[in-house]
Amino acid sequence: MHVAMIGSGYVGLVSGACFSEFGVDVVCVDKDQSKIDMLEKGVMPIYEPGLDDLVEKNVKAGRLTFTTDFGPAVRNADAVFIAVGTPTTKGGGHADLSYVYAAAKEIAQNMNGYTVVVNKSTVPVGTGDEVERIIRETNPDADFDVVSNPEFLREGSAIGDFTHPDRVVIGTESERAREVMRELYRPLYLIEAPIVFTSRTSSELIKYAANTFLATKITFINEMADLCEKVGADVHDVAKGIGLDGRIGKKFLHAGPGYGGSCFPKDTLALVHTARDVGAPLRIVEAVVDINDKRKKAMASRVIAACGGSVAGKTIAVLGVTFKPNTDDMRDAPSLDIIPALLEDDATVRAYDPEGMEEAKKLLGDVEWCKDAYSTMNGADALVIITEWNAFRGLDLDRVKSLLKSPIMVDLRNIYEPEEMAESGFQYHCIGRGTAGA
Ligand code: UDX
């Protein structure tokens, strides 16, 4: 089985490497020569745990190659995956499909023999139909099917998510295409991963429905946390108490500063627009988008309040700037709302992140970047934890207190226990669990 993966970004690279691990012959294609050069040297363009080893192993085994040369990769392939970006359109909220359509055209110009064209990029309902139309128009003799096969990879655990998925969704009405997809995912049959075969349209919608549901779940618990603060309840206990109900489930009930990342903000917005366009508005998701945007912005006010109403002239130490741990991804990270607001209020911001600083430097000006957690807080007026990297979970609290000018900690991820923090003499501010020592 030969696969061409068009687009060697996050999804394409992880999926390509994992398929090669399944024994498939994979060529990852990208227009960016420098990215391909890096990959050929074994340097990963993104930080994803385990990816470098997986790539190295499969390159050595001769099952995984990289190229900018579209033609031969597509000509040899039984299945061509489209895994290019679908950013939000400028000024709009729709997904920008120009890269997907350009890839479809180029695939049509190069395909040879029966080919399954698989959409892995997150694309709005109906995109598969348009990809099919473009291929047919460009190459009327082509023998092909277009399949939807959305990815559900979480950054930081993408390899595990690919190799041990909750489910694989395959959308096509063609039995011939289904057979090719079955063959590709055969190793997952051994571990009895559920495979959902459905129509292309349903498959496209499943991806958006999954992400918007998860974003809604997070937003629900975030609002519940705000309510907990008002009535003196503990959101951890509330989340546990509801999460043990099998119908609700305990995952994605961690209250925090609002969701970010490459998927939830973009996908919720795109689905809102699709739904409005077809006259079936999703009012719950519209509220989620609005609440989450406002929440990220409101987090800076919490820090300011914790510092006595003003941060002017004060030094704020920030730990963690990526949208979540185990990634260097800064897309729609809450830090991008919080840090500029603190700077705007004339604070000095010192920050540290284990993997995200290179990327963050491009997006956040006027921040003093530090070499580790403790040097960041040295002499600062308050400490703010924005991302829950493991390295920040077990800080030496006596040392933290001795380094800070005043023992103020704002923990936007609830990684410490309010009572213990109060006992340690901190003014500890967290989300939805009361404010100990304040
Ligand atoms: C998500 C989906 O989980 C994945 O299936 C999809 O394919 C891509 O989008 P990812 O963006 O990597 O994956 O991150 P995820 O772990 O889902 O977290 C998204 C955001 O929600 C992060 O900002 C995270 O901090 C936040 N989050 C998550 C919470 O605030 N609380 C939670 O309980 C869970």
Side-chain angles (χ1 to χ4, degrees), residues 10 122 151-157 161 167 207 210-211 214 218 221-222 250-264 267 323-325 332 334 388 413:
Y10 193 84
T122 299
E151 54 85 16
F152 300 101
L153 309 176
R154 283 165 306 168
E155 294 187 17
S157 47
D161 286 348
R167 80 306 205 183
K207 167 67 197 218
N211 274 357
L214 292 169
I218 296 168
I221 203 68
N222 282 341
K250 53 188 182 206
K251 292 185 182 162
F252 276 66
L253 284 179
H254 298 289
Y259 61 77
S262 62
C263 290
F264 287 177
D267 294 350
F323 83 95
K324 67 171 196 175
D332 278 307
E388 70 279 31
R413 297 290 180 169

Side-chain angles (χ1 to χ4, degrees), residues 7 38 51 62 84 115 118 122 151 160 164 166 194 240 257 259 294 309 318 324 330 347 358 378 432:
M38 274 170 80
L51 185 62
V84 296
T115 309
V118 190
T122 299
E151 54 85 16
H164 292 83
D166 288 341
K240 194 171 179 192
Y259 61 77
K294 293 196 172 113
V318 170
K324 67 171 196 175
M330 286 294 297
E358 278 315 303
N378 195 3

Side-chain angles (χ1 to χ4, degrees), residues 40-260:
E40 283 187 325
K41 285 188 204 125
V43 181
M44 297 301 107
I46 49 161
Y47 173 74
E48 178 63 32
L51 185 62
D52 42 4
D53 290 343
L54 196 71
V55 167
E56 189 189 336
K57 178 178 162 203
N58 285 288
V59 166
K60 269 198 190 132
R63 288 190 296 260
L64 180 61
T65 52
F66 303 100
T67 185
T68 52
D69 203 355
F70 207 99
V74 170
R75 276 195 290 282
N76 290 334
D78 302 296
V80 181
F81 282 75
I82 301 178
V84 296
T86 54
T88 302
T89 49
K90 285 199 181 71
H94 292 83
D96 176 358
L97 297 173
S98 54
Y99 301 107
V100 172
Y101 294 153
K105 196 159 184 192
E106 220 168 332
I107 291 167
Q109 286 158 348
N110 288 286
M111 59 176 32
N112 182 20
Y114 178 65
T115 309
V116 179
V117 179
V118 190
N119 244 327
K120 224 179 208 332
S121 302
T122 299
V123 290
V125 174
T127 305
D129 295 350
E130 183 59 12
V131 166
E132 183 172 328
R133 197 196 58 73
I134 291 171
I135 296 176
R136 205 162 293 295
E137 183 185 87
T138 313
N139 181 352
D141 299 327
D143 186 13
F144 71 102
D145 281 302
V146 176
V147 172
S148 160
N149 173 218
E151 54 85 16
F152 300 101
L153 309 176
R154 283 165 306 168
E155 294 187 17
S157 47
I159 292 167
D161 286 348
F162 194 99
T163 53
H164 292 83
D166 288 341
R167 80 306 205 183
V168 172
V169 176
I170 294 170
T172 175
E173 269 96 19
S174 154
E175 186 46 45
R176 207 171 162 201
R178 234 176 256 162
E179 204 37 59
V180 171
M181 297 305 287
R182 239 184 238 123
E183 187 60 31
L184 270 175
Y185 282 107
R186 183 175 297 282
L188 296 184
Y189 281 77
L190 299 175
I191 57 166
E192 294 180 3
I195 313 258
V196 179
F197 286 103
T198 180
S199 70
R200 201 160 62 197
T201 308
S202 302
S203 170
E204 287 170 342
L205 189 54
I206 285 168
K207 167 67 197 218
Y208 280 97
N211 274 357
T212 48
F213 187 87
L214 292 169
T216 304
K217 201 171 174 188
I218 296 168
T219 305
F220 176 86
I221 203 68
N222 282 341
E223 285 209 309
M224 208 48 74
D226 293 347
L227 178 59
C228 284
E229 286 172 11
K230 296 282 182 209
V231 299
D234 183 333
V235 74
H236 263 198
D237 293 346
V238 174
K240 194 171 179 192
I242 62 171
L244 286 167
D245 184 327
R247 293 168 300 177
I248 296 174
K250 53 188 182 206
K251 292 185 182 162
F252 276 66
L253 284 179
H254 298 289
Y259 61 77

